[in-house]
Amino acid sequence: MTVKHFSVEYDRVNDQGTYSSGDVLSGKVTVVTSKEIKVQSFLVRAKGKAKVTWYEQEGQSSVLHSNKKKYFYFEHMILQDKNKGDGSEIMGAGTKVFPFSFVIPSRDMPSSYKGKWGEITYSLRAHLTQSIWLVHKTKTEFPFLTKSEFPFASKSEMIIIGLKEQQHATRVSFCGSGKITMNVTSEKMGLKQGEAVEVSAEVLNESARSVTPKFHLCEKQTFVAQSKKKVQTKDILFGIGDAVPAESSRTVTKVLIIPPHLPATFFNCSMMNLEYRIKVTLDVPLLRNPEIKLPLVILQGSPEPLQQKTKRPTWFRKQS
C-alpha cells in the first residue's frame, strides 16, 4: 500500500478532553505515503448525531425500529482536483500534516452517550479518495458535554425546584401473620457524579416473619422510534441491612456513592433519555417483596462532601 498511515486527531481544550457548544474544534489529519500519489479529493467532516435501533418480533417477521437525528454536520475540503475525478491533485511522498478547525454550534445538544439500543455520538471523519476503487477512511469520536445545567428541565420544572429537598415515602404491606411498615428517606434528590448521600429505611415489623432491607440504585434507559418505545432497566445493589426480627422495629442507613463515570440524567434528546431511582426492598420469605422508589437526578460536576447529619428520632414506636 502506498498510503502507510492515515489518521485524524483533535486537540484537547481542557483536562477532561471534552467539547461543548460554541467551542472551536481543531485538530489535524496525518498522511504518510511511500511515494507520490494522485488525489481526487481529500476532506474532513465533523458530525453530531443521535441514533436508536432495535428489532422486534412481530408474528413470523423481525421488524426494525430505528430513528436518527443530526445535530450538526460540517465538511472541510483539504484537497480537490481541478476537474472532478481526473486525479490532477498530487500529494508528495513522506509525512504530511493538515490542520483543520470547526466551530461547534451554540445550541442545546445532549452529551455523548451509549446505551442499550441507541447512542449519541460526536465524531471526526477523514476521507482520502485516490479513485473510485481506492478510498482511505479514518474516524475518531470526541466526547461532547452539554452546557445545559439542567438537561432534564423539559421533563418537569418541579424537578429543578426539588433537587435539594429531602425525599421520603412510606409503604404498608400485609402478610398472613401481620403488618409491615417501611419509611424510606434520602437527604436530597439531586446528586453530582461521585457524590454520596445517606439513605435510611425505618422498618416496623409487626409480622411473625423476619425481613431484610436491601438498597438499590436503579437505571432506566428509554428509546423511542416510530411511535414505539423500548425500555432497558438495571438495578445496582449498594447495601444490605441487618434483618429486622418479627415483632420489632429497626432503622437501617446505607450510603449511596454515585459512581464518578455514571452518565448524568438527561431528557434533552427526543429519541432517548436516561433517569435514575433509589429503590429499597424488603426481603420477606414467602411473600412478594414490597419496595419503595424515590426519584434521583444525577448531575454533572464535582461532588460535594457528604454532610453528616444528626439522626432524627424514630418516626414510630411499637405498640404494646
Side-chain angles (χ1 to χ4, degrees), residues 119-182:
E119 60 182 17
I120 302 166
T121 57
Y122 298 86
S123 63
L124 289 166
R125 301 168 185 259
H127 288 207
L128 173 60
T129 302
Q130 293 184 254
S131 69
I132 193 173
W133 301 282
L134 188 56
V135 181
H136 306 278
K137 299 179 181 181
T138 185
K139 171 188 173 183
T140 188
E141 293 182 5
F142 60 92
F144 181 86
L145 195 63
T146 182
K147 277 189 174 180
S148 173
E149 184 179 4
F150 303 115
F152 44 82
S154 60
K155 181 72 173 178
S156 172
E157 294 297 331
M158 293 303 295
I159 290 181
I160 300 176
I161 297 173
L163 286 177
K164 295 185 178 181
E165 298 294 325
Q166 186 184 76
Q167 307 296 309
H168 59 85
T170 301
R171 174 160 183 162
V172 179
S173 303
F174 296 90
C175 59
S177 60
K179 181 174 70 172
I180 304 170
T181 306
M182 177 171 61

Coordinates of all heavy atoms in Angstrom, one line a residue, residues 119-182:
E119 N -27.4 5.6 20.7 CA -26.2 6.3 21.1 C -26.2 7.7 20.6 O -26.9 8.0 19.6 CB -24.9 5.6 20.7 CG -24.8 5.4 19.2 CD -23.6 4.7 18.7 OE1 -23.0 4.0 19.6 OE2 -23.2 4.8 17.5
I120 N -25.5 8.6 21.3 CA -25.4 10.0 20.9 C -23.9 10.2 20.7 O -23.1 10.0 21.7 CB -25.9 11.0 21.9 CG1 -27.4 10.7 22.2 CG2 -25.7 12.4 21.5 CD1 -27.9 11.4 23.5
T121 N -23.4 10.4 19.5 CA -22.0 10.4 19.2 C -21.6 11.7 18.4 O -22.4 12.3 17.7 CB -21.6 9.2 18.3 OG1 -22.4 9.3 17.1 CG2 -21.8 7.9 19.0
Y122 N -20.4 12.2 18.7 CA -19.8 13.3 18.0 C -18.5 12.8 17.5 O -17.6 12.3 18.2 CB -19.6 14.5 19.0 CG -21.0 14.9 19.6 CD1 -21.5 14.3 20.7 CD2 -21.7 16.0 19.0 CE1 -22.8 14.7 21.2 CE2 -22.9 16.4 19.5 CZ -23.4 15.7 20.6 OH -24.7 16.2 21.1
S123 N -18.3 13.0 16.2 CA -17.1 12.4 15.5 C -16.5 13.2 14.5 O -17.1 14.2 14.0 CB -17.6 11.0 14.9 OG -18.5 11.3 13.9
L124 N -15.2 12.8 14.2 CA -14.5 13.4 13.1 C -14.1 12.3 12.1 O -13.7 11.2 12.5 CB -13.2 14.0 13.6 CG -13.3 15.3 14.4 CD1 -12.0 15.6 15.1 CD2 -13.6 16.5 13.4
R125 N -14.3 12.5 10.8 CA -14.0 11.5 9.8 C -13.2 12.2 8.7 O -13.5 13.3 8.2 CB -15.3 10.9 9.2 CG -16.2 10.3 10.2 CD -17.6 10.0 9.6 NE -18.5 9.4 10.5 CZ -18.8 8.1 10.6 NH1 -18.2 7.3 9.8 NH2 -19.7 7.7 11.5
A126 N -12.2 11.5 8.2 CA -11.4 12.0 7.1 C -11.4 11.0 6.0 O -11.4 9.8 6.2 CB -9.9 12.2 7.5
H127 N -11.6 11.5 4.7 CA -11.7 10.6 3.5 C -10.6 11.1 2.5 O -10.5 12.3 2.2 CB -13.0 10.7 2.9 CG -14.1 10.0 3.6 ND1 -15.2 9.5 3.1 CD2 -14.2 9.7 5.0 CE1 -16.0 9.0 4.0 NE2 -15.4 9.1 5.1
L128 N -9.8 10.2 2.1 CA -8.8 10.4 1.0 C -9.1 9.5 -0.1 O -9.0 8.3 -0.1 CB -7.4 10.1 1.6 CG -6.2 10.2 0.6 CD1 -6.2 11.6 0.0 CD2 -4.9 9.8 1.2
T129 N -9.6 10.1 -1.2 CA -10.0 9.4 -2.4 C -9.0 9.5 -3.5 O -8.7 10.6 -4.0 CB -11.4 9.9 -2.9 OG1 -12.4 9.8 -1.9 CG2 -11.9 9.1 -4.1
Q130 N -8.4 8.3 -3.9 CA -7.5 8.3 -5.0 C -8.2 7.9 -6.3 O -7.8 8.4 -7.4 CB -6.4 7.3 -4.7 CG -5.4 7.7 -3.6 CD -4.3 6.7 -3.4 OE1 -4.3 5.9 -2.4 NE2 -3.3 6.7 -4.3
S131 N -9.2 7.0 -6.2 CA -10.0 6.6 -7.3 C -11.3 6.1 -6.8 O -11.5 5.9 -5.5 CB -9.3 5.6 -8.2 OG -9.2 4.4 -7.5
I132 N -12.2 5.7 -7.7 CA -13.5 5.2 -7.2 C -13.3 3.8 -6.5 O -14.1 3.4 -5.7 CB -14.4 5.0 -8.4 CG1 -15.9 4.7 -8.0 CG2 -13.9 3.9 -9.4 CD1 -16.9 4.7 -9.1
W133 N -12.2 3.2 -6.8 CA -11.9 1.9 -6.1 C -11.0 2.0 -4.9 O -10.8 1.0 -4.2 CB -11.3 0.9 -7.2 CG -12.2 0.7 -8.3 CD1 -13.3 -0.1 -8.4 CD2 -12.0 1.3 -9.6 NE1 -13.8 -0.1 -9.7 CE2 -13.1 0.8 -10.5 CE3 -11.1 2.2 -10.2 CZ2 -13.2 1.2 -11.8 CZ3 -11.3 2.6 -11.5 CH2 -12.3 2.0 -12.3
L134 N -10.4 3.1 -4.7 CA -9.4 3.3 -3.7 C -9.7 4.5 -2.8 O -9.3 5.6 -3.2 CB -8.0 3.3 -4.3 CG -6.8 3.3 -3.3 CD1 -6.9 2.1 -2.4 CD2 -5.5 3.3 -4.0
V135 N -10.4 4.3 -1.7 CA -10.7 5.3 -0.8 C -10.2 5.0 0.6 O -10.5 3.9 1.1 CB -12.3 5.5 -0.7 CG1 -12.6 6.7 0.2 CG2 -12.8 5.8 -2.1
H136 N -9.4 5.9 1.2 CA -8.9 5.7 2.6 C -9.8 6.4 3.5 O -10.2 7.6 3.3 CB -7.5 6.2 2.7 CG -6.6 5.6 1.7 ND1 -6.0 4.3 1.8 CD2 -6.2 6.1 0.4 CE1 -5.3 4.1 0.7 NE2 -5.3 5.1 -0.1
K137 N -10.2 5.8 4.6 CA -11.1 6.4 5.6 C -10.5 6.2 7.0 O -9.9 5.2 7.3 CB -12.5 5.8 5.6 CG -13.2 5.9 4.3 CD -14.6 5.3 4.3 CE -15.3 5.4 3.0 NZ -16.7 4.7 3.0
T138 N -10.7 7.2 7.8 CA -10.3 7.1 9.2 C -11.3 8.0 10.1 O -11.9 8.9 9.6 CB -8.9 7.6 9.5 OG1 -8.5 7.4 10.8 CG2 -8.8 9.1 9.1
K139 N -11.5 7.5 11.3 CA -12.6 8.2 12.2 C -12.1 8.2 13.6 O -11.4 7.3 14.1 CB -13.9 7.4 12.0 CG -15.0 7.8 13.0 CD -16.1 6.9 12.9 CE -17.2 7.2 14.0 NZ -18.3 6.2 14.1
T140 N -12.5 9.2 14.3 CA -12.4 9.3 15.8 C -13.6 10.0 16.4 O -14.1 10.9 15.8 CB -11.0 9.9 16.2 OG1 -10.9 9.8 17.6 CG2 -11.1 11.4 15.9
E141 N -14.0 9.6 17.6 CA -15.0 10.3 18.3 C -14.5 11.2 19.4 O -13.5 10.8 20.0 CB -16.0 9.2 18.9 CG -16.8 8.4 17.9 CD -17.8 7.5 18.5 OE1 -17.9 7.5 19.8 OE2 -18.4 6.7 17.8
F142 N -15.1 12.3 19.5 CA -14.6 13.2 20.6 C -15.8 13.3 21.6 O -17.0 13.4 21.2 CB -14.2 14.6 20.1 CG -15.3 15.3 19.3 CD1 -16.1 16.2 20.0 CD2 -15.4 15.1 18.0 CE1 -17.1 17.0 19.3 CE2 -16.4 15.9 17.3 CZ -17.2 16.8 17.9
P143 N -15.5 13.4 22.9 CA -16.6 13.5 23.9 C -17.2 14.9 24.0 O -16.5 15.9 24.1 CB -15.8 13.1 25.2 CG -14.4 13.4 25.0 CD -14.2 13.2 23.5
F144 N -18.5 14.9 23.9 CA -19.2 16.2 24.0 C -20.0 16.2 25.3 O -20.6 15.3 25.7 CB -20.2 16.3 22.8 CG -21.0 17.6 22.8 CD1 -20.4 18.7 22.2 CD2 -22.2 17.7 23.4 CE1 -21.1 19.9 22.1 CE2 -22.9 18.9 23.4 CZ -22.4 20.0 22.7
L145 N -19.9 17.4 26.0 CA -20.5 17.6 27.2 C -21.5 18.8 27.1 O -21.1 19.9 26.7 CB -19.5 17.9 28.3 CG -19.9 17.8 29.8 CD1 -20.4 16.4 30.1 CD2 -18.8 18.2 30.7
T146 N -22.8 18.5 27.4 CA -23.8 19.6 27.3 C -23.5 20.8 28.2 O -23.0 20.6 29.3 CB -25.2 19.1 27.5 OG1 -26.1 20.1 27.3 CG2 -25.3 18.6 28.9
K147 N -23.8 22.0 27.8 CA -23.6 23.1 28.6 C -24.9 23.4 29.5 O -24.9 24.2 30.4 CB -23.3 24.4 27.8 CG -21.9 24.5 27.4 CD -21.6 25.9 26.8 CE -20.1 26.1 26.6 NZ -19.9 27.4 25.9
S148 N -25.9 22.7 29.2 CA -27.2 22.8 29.9 C -27.0 22.4 31.4 O -26.6 21.2 31.6 CB -28.3 22.0 29.3 OG -29.5 22.1 30.1
E149 N -27.2 23.3 32.3 CA -27.1 22.9 33.7 C -28.1 21.9 34.1 O -27.9 21.0 35.0 CB -27.2 24.1 34.6 CG -27.0 23.9 36.1 CD -27.1 25.1 37.0 OE1 -27.4 26.2 36.4 OE2 -26.8 25.0 38.2
F150 N -29.3 22.0 33.5 CA -30.4 21.0 33.8 C -30.9 20.4 32.5 O -31.9 20.8 32.0 CB -31.5 21.8 34.5 CG -31.1 22.5 35.8 CD1 -31.2 23.8 35.9 CD2 -30.7 21.7 36.9 CE1 -30.8 24.5 37.1 CE2 -30.3 22.4 38.0 CZ -30.3 23.7 38.1
P151 N -30.2 19.4 32.0 CA -30.6 18.8 30.7 C -31.9 17.9 30.9 O -32.2 17.1 30.0 CB -29.4 17.9 30.3 CG -28.8 17.6 31.6 CD -29.0 18.8 32.5
F152 N -32.6 18.0 32.0 CA -33.8 17.3 32.2 C -35.0 18.3 32.4 O -36.1 17.9 32.8 CB -33.7 16.4 33.5 CG -33.0 17.1 34.6 CD1 -33.7 18.0 35.4 CD2 -31.7 17.0 34.8 CE1 -33.1 18.7 36.4 CE2 -31.0 17.7 35.9 CZ -31.8 18.5 36.7
A153 N -34.7 19.6 32.3 CA -35.7 20.6 32.6 C -37.0 20.4 31.8 O -38.1 20.7 32.3 CB -35.2 22.0 32.4
S154 N -36.9 19.9 30.6 CA -38.1 19.8 29.8 C -39.1 18.7 30.4 O -40.2 18.6 30.1 CB -37.7 19.4 28.3 OG -37.0 18.2 28.3
K155 N -38.5 17.8 31.2 CA -39.3 16.8 31.8 C -40.3 17.4 32.8 O -41.5 17.1 32.8 CB -38.4 15.7 32.5 CG -39.1 14.6 33.2 CD -39.7 13.6 32.2 CE -40.3 12.4 32.9 NZ -40.9 11.4 32.0
S156 N -39.8 18.2 33.7 CA -40.6 18.9 34.6 C -39.9 20.0 35.3 O -38.8 19.7 35.9 CB -41.2 17.9 35.7 OG -41.8 18.5 36.7
E157 N -40.4 21.2 35.4 CA -39.8 22.2 36.1 C -39.7 22.0 37.6 O -38.9 22.5 38.3 CB -40.5 23.6 35.9 CG -40.5 24.1 34.4 CD -39.0 24.4 34.0 OE1 -38.2 24.8 34.9 OE2 -38.7 24.3 32.8
M158 N -40.6 21.1 38.1 CA -40.7 20.8 39.5 C -39.4 20.0 39.9 O -39.0 20.0 41.1 CB -41.9 19.9 39.8 CG -43.2 20.7 39.7 SD -43.2 22.2 40.7 CE -43.2 21.5 42.3
I159 N -38.8 19.3 39.0 CA -37.6 18.6 39.3 C -36.5 19.5 39.8 O -35.8 19.3 40.7 CB -37.1 17.8 38.0 CG1 -38.0 16.6 37.7 CG2 -35.6 17.3 38.3 CD1 -37.6 15.8 36.6
I160 N -36.4 20.7 39.1 CA -35.3 21.7 39.5 C -35.6 22.2 40.9 O -34.7 22.3 41.7 CB -35.3 22.8 38.4 CG1 -35.0 22.3 37.0 CG2 -34.3 23.9 38.9 CD1 -35.0 23.3 36.0
I161 N -36.9 22.5 41.2 CA -37.2 23.0 42.5 C -36.9 22.0 43.6 O -36.4 22.4 44.7 CB -38.7 23.3 42.5 CG1 -39.0 24.4 41.5 CG2 -39.1 23.8 43.9 CD1 -40.5 24.7 41.3
G162 N -37.1 20.7 43.3 CA -36.9 19.7 44.3 C -35.5 19.1 44.5 O -35.4 18.1 45.2
L163 N -34.5 19.6 43.7 CA -33.2 18.9 43.7 C -32.6 18.8 45.1 O -31.9 17.8 45.4 CB -32.3 19.7 42.8 CG -32.5 19.5 41.3 CD1 -31.6 20.3 40.5 CD2 -32.4 18.0 40.9
K164 N -32.7 19.8 45.9 CA -32.1 19.8 47.2 C -33.1 19.5 48.4 O -32.7 19.6 49.5 CB -31.5 21.2 47.5 CG -30.3 21.5 46.5 CD -29.6 22.8 46.9 CE -28.5 23.1 46.0 NZ -27.8 24.4 46.3
E165 N -34.3 19.1 48.0 CA -35.3 18.8 49.0 C -35.1 17.3 49.5 O -34.8 16.4 48.7 CB -36.7 19.0 48.5 CG -37.0 20.4 48.1 CD -37.0 21.4 49.3 OE1 -37.4 20.9 50.4 OE2 -36.5 22.5 49.1
Q166 N -35.5 17.1 50.7 CA -35.5 15.7 51.2 C -36.6 14.9 50.6 O -37.7 15.4 50.3 CB -35.7 15.7 52.8 CG -35.6 14.4 53.4 CD -35.9 14.4 54.9 OE1 -37.1 14.5 55.3 NE2 -34.9 14.4 55.7
Q167 N -36.3 13.6 50.3 CA -37.2 12.7 49.6 C -37.6 11.6 50.6 O -36.8 11.1 51.3 CB -36.7 12.1 48.4 CG -36.1 13.1 47.4 CD -37.1 14.1 46.8 OE1 -38.2 13.6 46.3 NE2 -36.9 15.4 46.9
H168 N -38.9 11.3 50.7 CA -39.3 10.2 51.6 C -40.6 9.6 51.1 O -41.4 10.3 50.4 CB -39.5 10.7 53.0 CG -40.5 11.8 53.2 ND1 -41.8 11.6 53.3 CD2 -40.3 13.2 53.2 CE1 -42.4 12.8 53.5 NE2 -41.5 13.7 53.4
A169 N -40.8 8.4 51.4 CA -42.1 7.7 51.1 C -42.3 6.6 52.1 O -41.4 6.1 52.7 CB -42.0 7.1 49.6
T170 N -43.6 6.2 52.2 CA -44.0 5.1 53.2 C -44.8 4.1 52.4 O -45.6 4.4 51.5 CB -44.8 5.7 54.3 OG1 -44.0 6.7 55.0 CG2 -45.2 4.7 55.3
R171 N -44.6 2.8 52.8 CA -45.4 1.7 52.3 C -45.8 0.8 53.4 O -44.9 0.4 54.3 CB -44.6 1.0 51.2 CG -45.3 -0.3 50.7 CD -44.9 -0.8 49.4 NE -45.7 -1.9 49.0 CZ -45.7 -2.4 47.8 NH1 -45.0 -1.8 46.8 NH2 -46.5 -3.4 47.5
V172 N -47.0 0.4 53.4 CA -47.5 -0.6 54.4 C -47.9 -1.8 53.6 O -48.6 -1.8 52.6 CB -48.8 0.0 55.1 CG1 -49.3 -1.0 56.1 CG2 -48.4 1.3 55.8
S173 N -47.4 -3.0 54.1 CA -47.7 -4.3 53.4 C -48.3 -5.2 54.5 O -48.0 -5.1 55.7 CB -46.4 -4.9 52.9 OG -45.8 -4.0 51.9
F174 N -49.1 -6.1 54.0 CA -49.7 -7.1 54.9 C -49.4 -8.5 54.4 O -49.4 -8.8 53.2 CB -51.3 -6.9 54.9 CG -51.7 -5.6 55.4 CD1 -51.9 -4.5 54.5 CD2 -52.0 -5.4 56.7 CE1 -52.3 -3.2 55.0 CE2 -52.4 -4.2 57.2 CZ -52.5 -3.1 56.4
C175 N -49.1 -9.3 55.4 CA -49.0 -10.8 55.1 C -49.9 -11.5 56.1 O -50.5 -10.9 57.0 CB -47.5 -11.2 55.3 SG -46.8 -10.9 56.9
G176 N -49.9 -12.8 56.0 CA -50.8 -13.6 56.9 C -50.6 -13.4 58.3 O -51.5 -13.5 59.1
S177 N -49.4 -13.1 58.7 CA -49.1 -13.0 60.2 C -49.0 -11.6 60.7 O -48.6 -11.4 61.9 CB -47.7 -13.7 60.4 OG -46.7 -13.1 59.7
G178 N -49.3 -10.6 59.9 CA -49.3 -9.2 60.4 C -48.9 -8.2 59.4 O -48.8 -8.4 58.2
K179 N -48.7 -7.0 59.9 CA -48.4 -5.8 59.1 C -46.9 -5.4 59.1 O -46.3 -5.5 60.1 CB -49.3 -4.6 59.5 CG -49.1 -3.3 58.7 CD -50.1 -2.3 59.2 CE -49.8 -1.8 60.6 NZ -50.6 -0.6 60.9
I180 N -46.4 -4.9 57.9 CA -45.0 -4.5 57.9 C -45.1 -3.0 57.3 O -45.6 -2.8 56.2 CB -44.2 -5.4 57.0 CG1 -44.2 -6.8 57.4 CG2 -42.7 -4.8 56.9 CD1 -43.6 -7.8 56.5
T181 N -44.5 -2.1 58.0 CA -44.5 -0.7 57.5 C -43.0 -0.3 57.3 O -42.2 -0.5 58.2 CB -45.1 0.2 58.6 OG1 -46.4 -0.2 58.9 CG2 -45.2 1.7 58.1
M182 N -42.8 0.4 56.2 CA -41.4 0.8 55.8 C -41.5 2.3 55.4 O -42.3 2.7 54.6 CB -40.8 0.0 54.7 CG -39.4 0.5 54.3 SD -38.5 -0.6 53.2 CE -39.7 -0.7 51.8

